[in-house]
């Protein structure tokens, strides 16, 4: 049955259209939308499934808090009689609904979009470039052009998927967490808001720098590929005139430029991670301390403390993933912008 679903999703889009490709738009978002238009139905479906999964997960965390309160206040003999229907409902959610949402999301994203989106874009860009003048190819390295075509196709897909799936999921998840915290006690929202402000400031400062470095790194990678492929393509000339040493030096110059870009990216990435670890430590400590204070003041229950701390620990894990996704998004944007200049 799963195989039938996979095959059905894989056939939802025409990967190799026969119409002659036209010049794509010259502005960034118009360029992105030009290649993603055939996949909007699948993209919308994937976004809805991702959002639904986020809502269900936050709901399950909230239920754990309620369950702890019930165990503290209900006699074992009357637990099923008092809370039986909601326990059965959450059992269905945990056993069936949540896995089903995630499995369907993965199928739509991976079978429907991952392969087809990149391959159709690659096919269209290749056919468009193939129809350019001889001088276009004479004025650039064949390997460099091919690398930009391959990279740009993948990063157009990744840009769209990160915007329409990952960030919608994160926004829904965080909003749901804030609502659940406020339902327990409005004061629990304060550490979350402070953490969010620090997180956004970090992203605002670091991510544009990462995008600029990604663009320069993509260009340096294409330069290295172009020089190496040029050497291989003209290997008879290299061997005939004993230019191997010159070709070594030529390739090494390009690799040194590329490696310097990599070092710069890694420096910034490590700095971002260090700030994030500090923010996450603050979030865990402040929510734990405030929860204990509110419990001592009889403002919240032990279940609310368990829910708050469990959700904070989950957000701590997600924050590194979000940082990675935001970084990769802007790297993808940099790669697409670099590829647009050639395409």
């Amino acid at each position: 049955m799963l195989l039938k679903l996979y095959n059905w999703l894989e056939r939802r889009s025409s990967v190799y259209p026969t119409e002659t490709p036209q010049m794509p738009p010259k502005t960034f978002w118009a360029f992105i939308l030009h290649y993603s238009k055939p996949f909007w139905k699948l993209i919308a479906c994937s976004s809805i499934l991702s959002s639904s999964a986020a809502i269900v997960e936050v709901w399950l965390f909230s239920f754990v808090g309620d369950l702890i309160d019930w165990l503290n206040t209900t006699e074992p003999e009357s637990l099923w009689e008092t809370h039986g229907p909601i326990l059965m409902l959450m059992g269905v959610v945990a056993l069936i609904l949540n896995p089903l949402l995630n499995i369907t999301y993965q199928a739509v994203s991976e079978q429907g979009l991952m392969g087809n989106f990149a391959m159709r874009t690659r096919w269209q860009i290749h056919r468009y470039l193939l129809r350019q003048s001889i001088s276009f190819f004479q004025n650039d390295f064949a390997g460099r052009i091919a690398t930009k075509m391959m990279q740009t196709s993948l990063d157009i897909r990744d840009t769209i998927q990160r915007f329409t799936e990952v960030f919608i999921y994160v926004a829904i998840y965080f909003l749901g967490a804030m609502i659940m915290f406020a339902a327990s006690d409005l004061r629990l929202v304060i550490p979350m808001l402070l953490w969010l402000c620090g997180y956004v400031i970090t992203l605002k400062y670091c991510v544009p720098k990462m995008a600029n470095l990604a663009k320069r790194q993509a260009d340096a990678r294409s330069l290295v590929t172009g020089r190496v492929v040029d050497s291989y393509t003209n290997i008879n000339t290299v061997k005939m005139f004993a230019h191997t040493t010159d070709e070594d030096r030529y390739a090494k110059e390009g690799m040194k430029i590329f490696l310097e870009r990599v070092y710069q990216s890694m420096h910034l990435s490590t700095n971002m991670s260090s700030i994030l670890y500090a923010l996450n430590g603050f979030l865990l400590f402040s929510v734990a301390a405030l929860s204990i204070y509110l419990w001592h003041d009889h403002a919240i229950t032990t279940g609310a403390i368990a829910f708050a701390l469990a959700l904070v620990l989950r957000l701590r894990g997600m924050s590194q993933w979000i940082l990675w996704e935001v970084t990769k998004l802007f790297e993808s944007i940099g790669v697409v912008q670099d590829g647009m200049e050639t395409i």
Side-chain angles (χ1 to χ4, degrees), residues 116-139:
N116 288 346
F117 196 149
M119 190 58 70
R120 180 186 169 106
T121 305
R122 194 176 291 129
W123 167 251
Q124 289 179 295
I125 292 175
H126 164 69
R127 294 182 69 223
Y128 174 70
L129 292 175
L130 203 61
R131 286 157 174 76
Q132 303 310 303
S133 64
I134 294 293
S135 62
F136 171 78
F137 293 95
Q138 290 175 335
N139 292 332

PDB file of all heavy atoms in Angstrom, residues 116-139:
ATOM      1  N   ASN A 116      11.494  15.000  -7.707  1.00  0.00           N
ATOM      2  CA  ASN A 116      10.875  15.595  -8.889  1.00  0.00           C
ATOM      3  C   ASN A 116      11.169  17.091  -9.025  1.00  0.00           C
ATOM      4  O   ASN A 116      11.420  17.589 -10.125  1.00  0.00           O
ATOM      5  CB  ASN A 116       9.365  15.378  -8.853  1.00  0.00           C
ATOM      6  CG  ASN A 116       8.986  13.937  -9.110  1.00  0.00           C
ATOM      7  OD1 ASN A 116       9.808  13.141  -9.557  1.00  0.00           O
ATOM      8  ND2 ASN A 116       7.745  13.589  -8.830  1.00  0.00           N
ATOM      9  N   PHE A 117      11.090  17.804  -7.894  1.00  0.00           N
ATOM     10  CA  PHE A 117      11.292  19.258  -7.931  1.00  0.00           C
ATOM     11  C   PHE A 117      12.677  19.586  -8.482  1.00  0.00           C
ATOM     12  O   PHE A 117      12.831  20.370  -9.428  1.00  0.00           O
ATOM     13  CB  PHE A 117      11.125  19.822  -6.511  1.00  0.00           C
ATOM     14  CG  PHE A 117      10.936  21.308  -6.452  1.00  0.00           C
ATOM     15  CD1 PHE A 117      10.161  21.871  -5.443  1.00  0.00           C
ATOM     16  CD2 PHE A 117      11.521  22.171  -7.367  1.00  0.00           C
ATOM     17  CE1 PHE A 117       9.966  23.242  -5.359  1.00  0.00           C
ATOM     18  CE2 PHE A 117      11.344  23.546  -7.298  1.00  0.00           C
ATOM     19  CZ  PHE A 117      10.572  24.080  -6.290  1.00  0.00           C
ATOM     20  N   ALA A 118      13.705  18.984  -7.883  1.00  0.00           N
ATOM     21  CA  ALA A 118      15.070  19.283  -8.312  1.00  0.00           C
ATOM     22  C   ALA A 118      15.324  18.827  -9.750  1.00  0.00           C
ATOM     23  O   ALA A 118      15.961  19.537 -10.535  1.00  0.00           O
ATOM     24  CB  ALA A 118      16.066  18.618  -7.361  1.00  0.00           C
ATOM     25  N   MET A 119      14.803  17.653 -10.122  1.00  0.00           N
ATOM     26  CA  MET A 119      15.082  17.135 -11.461  1.00  0.00           C
ATOM     27  C   MET A 119      14.375  17.948 -12.537  1.00  0.00           C
ATOM     28  O   MET A 119      14.964  18.224 -13.604  1.00  0.00           O
ATOM     29  CB  MET A 119      14.669  15.665 -11.560  1.00  0.00           C
ATOM     30  CG  MET A 119      15.135  14.990 -12.844  1.00  0.00           C
ATOM     31  SD  MET A 119      16.944  15.060 -13.035  1.00  0.00           S
ATOM     32  CE  MET A 119      17.457  13.929 -11.753  1.00  0.00           C
ATOM     33  N   ARG A 120      13.125  18.350 -12.296  1.00  0.00           N
ATOM     34  CA  ARG A 120      12.424  19.176 -13.291  1.00  0.00           C
ATOM     35  C   ARG A 120      13.144  20.515 -13.470  1.00  0.00           C
ATOM     36  O   ARG A 120      13.323  20.992 -14.609  1.00  0.00           O
ATOM     37  CB  ARG A 120      10.976  19.411 -12.861  1.00  0.00           C
ATOM     38  CG  ARG A 120      10.196  20.270 -13.863  1.00  0.00           C
ATOM     39  CD  ARG A 120       8.810  20.631 -13.367  1.00  0.00           C
ATOM     40  NE  ARG A 120       8.208  21.640 -14.211  1.00  0.00           N
ATOM     41  CZ  ARG A 120       7.235  21.421 -15.082  1.00  0.00           C
ATOM     42  NH1 ARG A 120       6.757  20.209 -15.244  1.00  0.00           N
ATOM     43  NH2 ARG A 120       6.733  22.413 -15.810  1.00  0.00           N
ATOM     44  N   THR A 121      13.574  21.129 -12.367  1.00  0.00           N
ATOM     45  CA  THR A 121      14.288  22.405 -12.437  1.00  0.00           C
ATOM     46  C   THR A 121      15.601  22.232 -13.185  1.00  0.00           C
ATOM     47  O   THR A 121      15.978  23.051 -14.031  1.00  0.00           O
ATOM     48  CB  THR A 121      14.542  22.947 -11.023  1.00  0.00           C
ATOM     49  OG1 THR A 121      13.301  23.034 -10.321  1.00  0.00           O
ATOM     50  CG2 THR A 121      15.175  24.326 -11.077  1.00  0.00           C
ATOM     51  N   ARG A 122      16.296  21.146 -12.869  1.00  0.00           N
ATOM     52  CA  ARG A 122      17.573  20.848 -13.539  1.00  0.00           C
ATOM     53  C   ARG A 122      17.353  20.669 -15.049  1.00  0.00           C
ATOM     54  O   ARG A 122      18.128  21.179 -15.869  1.00  0.00           O
ATOM     55  CB  ARG A 122      18.153  19.573 -12.919  1.00  0.00           C
ATOM     56  CG  ARG A 122      19.594  19.306 -13.241  1.00  0.00           C
ATOM     57  CD  ARG A 122      20.069  18.079 -12.478  1.00  0.00           C
ATOM     58  NE  ARG A 122      20.144  18.340 -11.050  1.00  0.00           N
ATOM     59  CZ  ARG A 122      19.587  17.567 -10.119  1.00  0.00           C
ATOM     60  NH1 ARG A 122      18.902  16.492 -10.473  1.00  0.00           N
ATOM     61  NH2 ARG A 122      19.716  17.863  -8.853  1.00  0.00           N
ATOM     62  N   TRP A 123      16.282  19.967 -15.406  1.00  0.00           N
ATOM     63  CA  TRP A 123      15.946  19.724 -16.808  1.00  0.00           C
ATOM     64  C   TRP A 123      15.651  21.035 -17.523  1.00  0.00           C
ATOM     65  O   TRP A 123      16.156  21.273 -18.625  1.00  0.00           O
ATOM     66  CB  TRP A 123      14.743  18.783 -16.865  1.00  0.00           C
ATOM     67  CG  TRP A 123      14.045  18.648 -18.185  1.00  0.00           C
ATOM     68  CD1 TRP A 123      12.803  19.134 -18.511  1.00  0.00           C
ATOM     69  CD2 TRP A 123      14.513  17.983 -19.363  1.00  0.00           C
ATOM     70  NE1 TRP A 123      12.465  18.809 -19.794  1.00  0.00           N
ATOM     71  CE2 TRP A 123      13.507  18.104 -20.351  1.00  0.00           C
ATOM     72  CE3 TRP A 123      15.677  17.301 -19.681  1.00  0.00           C
ATOM     73  CZ2 TRP A 123      13.636  17.563 -21.627  1.00  0.00           C
ATOM     74  CZ3 TRP A 123      15.806  16.760 -20.962  1.00  0.00           C
ATOM     75  CH2 TRP A 123      14.796  16.897 -21.903  1.00  0.00           C
ATOM     76  N   GLN A 124      14.885  21.909 -16.905  1.00  0.00           N
ATOM     77  CA  GLN A 124      14.527  23.177 -17.537  1.00  0.00           C
ATOM     78  C   GLN A 124      15.739  24.089 -17.695  1.00  0.00           C
ATOM     79  O   GLN A 124      15.927  24.714 -18.741  1.00  0.00           O
ATOM     80  CB  GLN A 124      13.440  23.881 -16.717  1.00  0.00           C
ATOM     81  CG  GLN A 124      12.079  23.209 -16.803  1.00  0.00           C
ATOM     82  CD  GLN A 124      11.044  23.936 -15.963  1.00  0.00           C
ATOM     83  OE1 GLN A 124      11.145  23.994 -14.745  1.00  0.00           O
ATOM     84  NE2 GLN A 124      10.051  24.496 -16.620  1.00  0.00           N
ATOM     85  N   ILE A 125      16.557  24.176 -16.637  1.00  0.00           N
ATOM     86  CA  ILE A 125      17.734  25.053 -16.713  1.00  0.00           C
ATOM     87  C   ILE A 125      18.723  24.519 -17.745  1.00  0.00           C
ATOM     88  O   ILE A 125      19.297  25.287 -18.544  1.00  0.00           O
ATOM     89  CB  ILE A 125      18.397  25.173 -15.328  1.00  0.00           C
ATOM     90  CG1 ILE A 125      17.480  25.933 -14.369  1.00  0.00           C
ATOM     91  CG2 ILE A 125      19.741  25.900 -15.437  1.00  0.00           C
ATOM     92  CD1 ILE A 125      17.997  26.004 -12.940  1.00  0.00           C
ATOM     93  N   HIS A 126      18.927  23.205 -17.757  1.00  0.00           N
ATOM     94  CA  HIS A 126      19.849  22.610 -18.734  1.00  0.00           C
ATOM     95  C   HIS A 126      19.403  22.910 -20.159  1.00  0.00           C
ATOM     96  O   HIS A 126      20.214  23.327 -21.002  1.00  0.00           O
ATOM     97  CB  HIS A 126      19.928  21.098 -18.517  1.00  0.00           C
ATOM     98  CG  HIS A 126      20.542  20.365 -19.677  1.00  0.00           C
ATOM     99  ND1 HIS A 126      21.874  20.477 -20.012  1.00  0.00           N
ATOM    100  CD2 HIS A 126      19.981  19.518 -20.604  1.00  0.00           C
ATOM    101  CE1 HIS A 126      22.116  19.728 -21.078  1.00  0.00           C
ATOM    102  NE2 HIS A 126      20.988  19.142 -21.454  1.00  0.00           N
ATOM    103  N   ARG A 127      18.125  22.724 -20.457  1.00  0.00           N
ATOM    104  CA  ARG A 127      17.635  22.959 -21.812  1.00  0.00           C
ATOM    105  C   ARG A 127      17.729  24.442 -22.188  1.00  0.00           C
ATOM    106  O   ARG A 127      17.993  24.781 -23.349  1.00  0.00           O
ATOM    107  CB  ARG A 127      16.194  22.471 -21.938  1.00  0.00           C
ATOM    108  CG  ARG A 127      16.072  20.951 -21.786  1.00  0.00           C
ATOM    109  CD  ARG A 127      14.643  20.496 -21.962  1.00  0.00           C
ATOM    110  NE  ARG A 127      14.205  20.653 -23.337  1.00  0.00           N
ATOM    111  CZ  ARG A 127      13.024  21.137 -23.708  1.00  0.00           C
ATOM    112  NH1 ARG A 127      12.161  21.553 -22.782  1.00  0.00           N
ATOM    113  NH2 ARG A 127      12.689  21.229 -24.969  1.00  0.00           N
ATOM    114  N   TYR A 128      17.515  25.304 -21.201  1.00  0.00           N
ATOM    115  CA  TYR A 128      17.632  26.740 -21.471  1.00  0.00           C
ATOM    116  C   TYR A 128      19.084  27.123 -21.772  1.00  0.00           C
ATOM    117  O   TYR A 128      19.361  27.856 -22.739  1.00  0.00           O
ATOM    118  CB  TYR A 128      17.108  27.538 -20.272  1.00  0.00           C
ATOM    119  CG  TYR A 128      17.318  29.021 -20.410  1.00  0.00           C
ATOM    120  CD1 TYR A 128      16.596  29.759 -21.350  1.00  0.00           C
ATOM    121  CD2 TYR A 128      18.258  29.686 -19.628  1.00  0.00           C
ATOM    122  CE1 TYR A 128      16.806  31.120 -21.494  1.00  0.00           C
ATOM    123  CE2 TYR A 128      18.468  31.042 -19.771  1.00  0.00           C
ATOM    124  CZ  TYR A 128      17.744  31.756 -20.700  1.00  0.00           C
ATOM    125  OH  TYR A 128      17.959  33.100 -20.843  1.00  0.00           O
ATOM    126  N   LEU A 129      20.021  26.613 -20.951  1.00  0.00           N
ATOM    127  CA  LEU A 129      21.432  26.940 -21.163  1.00  0.00           C
ATOM    128  C   LEU A 129      21.948  26.351 -22.476  1.00  0.00           C
ATOM    129  O   LEU A 129      22.775  26.962 -23.162  1.00  0.00           O
ATOM    130  CB  LEU A 129      22.277  26.404 -19.999  1.00  0.00           C
ATOM    131  CG  LEU A 129      22.072  27.085 -18.643  1.00  0.00           C
ATOM    132  CD1 LEU A 129      22.885  26.372 -17.569  1.00  0.00           C
ATOM    133  CD2 LEU A 129      22.453  28.554 -18.706  1.00  0.00           C
ATOM    134  N   LEU A 130      21.448  25.161 -22.849  1.00  0.00           N
ATOM    135  CA  LEU A 130      21.897  24.494 -24.064  1.00  0.00           C
ATOM    136  C   LEU A 130      21.581  25.316 -25.307  1.00  0.00           C
ATOM    137  O   LEU A 130      22.242  25.175 -26.345  1.00  0.00           O
ATOM    138  CB  LEU A 130      21.223  23.120 -24.165  1.00  0.00           C
ATOM    139  CG  LEU A 130      21.896  22.050 -25.016  1.00  0.00           C
ATOM    140  CD1 LEU A 130      23.281  21.728 -24.477  1.00  0.00           C
ATOM    141  CD2 LEU A 130      21.042  20.796 -25.053  1.00  0.00           C
ATOM    142  N   ARG A 131      20.593  26.179 -25.215  1.00  0.00           N
ATOM    143  CA  ARG A 131      20.171  27.003 -26.361  1.00  0.00           C
ATOM    144  C   ARG A 131      20.845  28.375 -26.400  1.00  0.00           C
ATOM    145  O   ARG A 131      20.469  29.223 -27.207  1.00  0.00           O
ATOM    146  CB  ARG A 131      18.635  27.160 -26.328  1.00  0.00           C
ATOM    147  CG  ARG A 131      17.926  25.872 -26.760  1.00  0.00           C
ATOM    148  CD  ARG A 131      16.511  25.779 -26.244  1.00  0.00           C
ATOM    149  NE  ARG A 131      15.836  24.602 -26.787  1.00  0.00           N
ATOM    150  CZ  ARG A 131      16.054  23.350 -26.378  1.00  0.00           C
ATOM    151  NH1 ARG A 131      16.938  23.104 -25.434  1.00  0.00           N
ATOM    152  NH2 ARG A 131      15.397  22.337 -26.918  1.00  0.00           N
ATOM    153  N   GLN A 132      21.850  28.582 -25.545  1.00  0.00           N
ATOM    154  CA  GLN A 132      22.590  29.844 -25.576  1.00  0.00           C
ATOM    155  C   GLN A 132      23.654  29.810 -26.677  1.00  0.00           C
ATOM    156  O   GLN A 132      23.952  28.764 -27.245  1.00  0.00           O
ATOM    157  CB  GLN A 132      23.228  30.122 -24.212  1.00  0.00           C
ATOM    158  CG  GLN A 132      22.231  30.148 -23.068  1.00  0.00           C
ATOM    159  CD  GLN A 132      21.033  31.034 -23.340  1.00  0.00           C
ATOM    160  OE1 GLN A 132      21.183  32.223 -23.615  1.00  0.00           O
ATOM    161  NE2 GLN A 132      19.833  30.465 -23.300  1.00  0.00           N
ATOM    162  N   SER A 133      24.245  30.963 -26.938  1.00  0.00           N
ATOM    163  CA  SER A 133      25.211  31.087 -28.031  1.00  0.00           C
ATOM    164  C   SER A 133      26.528  30.385 -27.693  1.00  0.00           C
ATOM    165  O   SER A 133      26.818  30.091 -26.533  1.00  0.00           O
ATOM    166  CB  SER A 133      25.495  32.570 -28.289  1.00  0.00           C
ATOM    167  OG  SER A 133      26.120  33.149 -27.152  1.00  0.00           O
ATOM    168  N   ILE A 134      27.311  30.147 -28.729  1.00  0.00           N
ATOM    169  CA  ILE A 134      28.636  29.540 -28.547  1.00  0.00           C
ATOM    170  C   ILE A 134      29.494  30.411 -27.636  1.00  0.00           C
ATOM    171  O   ILE A 134      30.227  29.918 -26.775  1.00  0.00           O
ATOM    172  CB  ILE A 134      29.332  29.354 -29.914  1.00  0.00           C
ATOM    173  CG1 ILE A 134      28.581  28.330 -30.776  1.00  0.00           C
ATOM    174  CG2 ILE A 134      30.781  28.924 -29.708  1.00  0.00           C
ATOM    175  CD1 ILE A 134      28.622  26.923 -30.234  1.00  0.00           C
ATOM    176  N   SER A 135      29.403  31.732 -27.799  1.00  0.00           N
ATOM    177  CA  SER A 135      30.241  32.643 -27.009  1.00  0.00           C
ATOM    178  C   SER A 135      29.946  32.525 -25.513  1.00  0.00           C
ATOM    179  O   SER A 135      30.833  32.725 -24.677  1.00  0.00           O
ATOM    180  CB  SER A 135      30.038  34.084 -27.472  1.00  0.00           C
ATOM    181  OG  SER A 135      28.687  34.487 -27.280  1.00  0.00           O
ATOM    182  N   PHE A 136      28.696  32.200 -25.160  1.00  0.00           N
ATOM    183  CA  PHE A 136      28.340  32.022 -23.750  1.00  0.00           C
ATOM    184  C   PHE A 136      29.198  30.935 -23.118  1.00  0.00           C
ATOM    185  O   PHE A 136      29.715  31.085 -22.003  1.00  0.00           O
ATOM    186  CB  PHE A 136      26.857  31.665 -23.623  1.00  0.00           C
ATOM    187  CG  PHE A 136      26.432  31.244 -22.244  1.00  0.00           C
ATOM    188  CD1 PHE A 136      26.228  32.185 -21.248  1.00  0.00           C
ATOM    189  CD2 PHE A 136      26.252  29.904 -21.947  1.00  0.00           C
ATOM    190  CE1 PHE A 136      25.844  31.793 -19.973  1.00  0.00           C
ATOM    191  CE2 PHE A 136      25.862  29.502 -20.670  1.00  0.00           C
ATOM    192  CZ  PHE A 136      25.662  30.455 -19.688  1.00  0.00           C
ATOM    193  N   PHE A 137      29.384  29.829 -23.833  1.00  0.00           N
ATOM    194  CA  PHE A 137      30.175  28.715 -23.319  1.00  0.00           C
ATOM    195  C   PHE A 137      31.671  28.974 -23.449  1.00  0.00           C
ATOM    196  O   PHE A 137      32.456  28.487 -22.638  1.00  0.00           O
ATOM    197  CB  PHE A 137      29.795  27.419 -24.044  1.00  0.00           C
ATOM    198  CG  PHE A 137      28.402  26.957 -23.744  1.00  0.00           C
ATOM    199  CD1 PHE A 137      27.345  27.290 -24.575  1.00  0.00           C
ATOM    200  CD2 PHE A 137      28.138  26.207 -22.612  1.00  0.00           C
ATOM    201  CE1 PHE A 137      26.060  26.866 -24.299  1.00  0.00           C
ATOM    202  CE2 PHE A 137      26.843  25.783 -22.320  1.00  0.00           C
ATOM    203  CZ  PHE A 137      25.798  26.112 -23.161  1.00  0.00           C
ATOM    204  N   GLN A 138      32.056  29.743 -24.469  1.00  0.00           N
ATOM    205  CA  GLN A 138      33.478  30.046 -24.643  1.00  0.00           C
ATOM    206  C   GLN A 138      33.996  30.995 -23.573  1.00  0.00           C
ATOM    207  O   GLN A 138      35.183  30.986 -23.249  1.00  0.00           O
ATOM    208  CB  GLN A 138      33.712  30.657 -26.031  1.00  0.00           C
ATOM    209  CG  GLN A 138      33.544  29.657 -27.168  1.00  0.00           C
ATOM    210  CD  GLN A 138      33.673  30.311 -28.532  1.00  0.00           C
ATOM    211  OE1 GLN A 138      33.439  31.519 -28.681  1.00  0.00           O
ATOM    212  NE2 GLN A 138      34.037  29.524 -29.540  1.00  0.00           N
ATOM    213  N   ASN A 139      33.100  31.807 -22.994  1.00  0.00           N
ATOM    214  CA  ASN A 139      33.509  32.812 -22.007  1.00  0.00           C
ATOM    215  C   ASN A 139      33.463  32.290 -20.571  1.00  0.00           C
ATOM    216  O   ASN A 139      33.615  33.059 -19.618  1.00  0.00           O
ATOM    217  CB  ASN A 139      32.617  34.048 -22.119  1.00  0.00           C
ATOM    218  CG  ASN A 139      32.836  34.792 -23.419  1.00  0.00           C
ATOM    219  OD1 ASN A 139      33.917  34.743 -23.989  1.00  0.00           O
ATOM    220  ND2 ASN A 139      31.800  35.467 -23.896  1.00  0.00           N
TER     221      ASN A 139
END
